[in-house]
């Protein structure tokens, strides 16, 4: 059983068409950064929930491994670009970029009417 359960959110309206799925893996260098990083992650989660074009988001936190994964589903690439250019996401990426041991971000076409899961996204990312 994980230390922190996945934090899922699904929008009331999942949009038309397949959309785009974004999978981000973040691995921190230091344990001492975990509380502040998790706080920023929750602020970004709230930002996502209110963002235009956002369909759903999962946050998987594995603090003992210093690893965080997000899976988000968007109407289109324009929605994603608008989101990442807005605070608190923009400020967090500037702050945490140098503190990452590893970072990857990939996009995949979504499946019309099917909310992506962390498990499905992990399979795509493998």
């Amino acid at each position: 059983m994980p230390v922190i359960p996945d934090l899922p959110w699904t929008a009331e309206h999942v949009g038309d068409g397949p959309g785009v799925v974004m999978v981000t893996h973040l691995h921190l260098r230091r344990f001492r950064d975990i509380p502040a990083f998790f706080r920023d992650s929750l602020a970004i989660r709230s930002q996502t929930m209110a963002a235009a074009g956002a369909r759903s988001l999962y946050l998987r936190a594995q603090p003992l491994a210093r690893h965080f994964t997000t899976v988000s589903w968007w109407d289109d690439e324009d929605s994603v670009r608008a989101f990442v250019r807005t605070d608190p996401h923009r400020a967090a990426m500037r702050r945490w970029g140098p503190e990452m041991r590893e970072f990857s971000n990939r996009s995949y076409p979504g499946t019309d009417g099917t909310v992506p899961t962390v498990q499905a996204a992990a399979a795509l990312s493998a």
Side-chain angles (χ1 to χ4, degrees):
M1 175 177 244
V3 174
I4 299 173
D6 291 349
L7 300 177
W9 165 67
T10 301
E12 291 180 18
H13 175 66
V14 295
D16 297 322
V20 61
V21 177
M22 302 297 298
V23 182
T24 304
H25 298 283
L26 307 110
H27 189 163
L28 292 172
R29 292 183 188 280
R30 302 177 304 203
F31 282 106
R32 70 181 179 168
D33 290 332
I34 291 169
F37 184 81
F38 194 63
R39 233 181 351 266
D40 285 350
S41 297
L42 292 177
I44 293 167
R45 181 175 183 265
S46 294
Q47 176 191 3
T48 305
M49 293 170 73
R55 296 183 181 186
S56 69
L57 171 74
Y58 280 85
L59 169 63
R60 173 168 286 170
Q62 298 169 296
L64 298 178
R66 301 182 317 268
H67 193 262
F68 296 78
T69 301
T70 65
V71 177
S72 57
W73 187 28
W74 299 84
D75 286 344
D76 51 41
E77 292 282 346
D78 289 341
S79 298
V80 176
R81 281 191 288 277
F83 170 78
V84 300
R85 292 179 181 144
T86 306
D87 288 332
H89 186 274
R90 179 180 58 182
M93 292 291 77
R94 288 182 179 154
R95 176 181 180 193
W96 293 108
E99 306 305 325
M100 293 291 155
R101 170 182 272 179
E102 181 182 331
F103 171 86
S104 68
N105 191 16
R106 296 185 181 157
S107 65
Y108 304 95
T111 302
D112 197 5
T114 303
V115 178
T117 64
V118 175
Q119 295 79 6
L124 290 171
S125 297

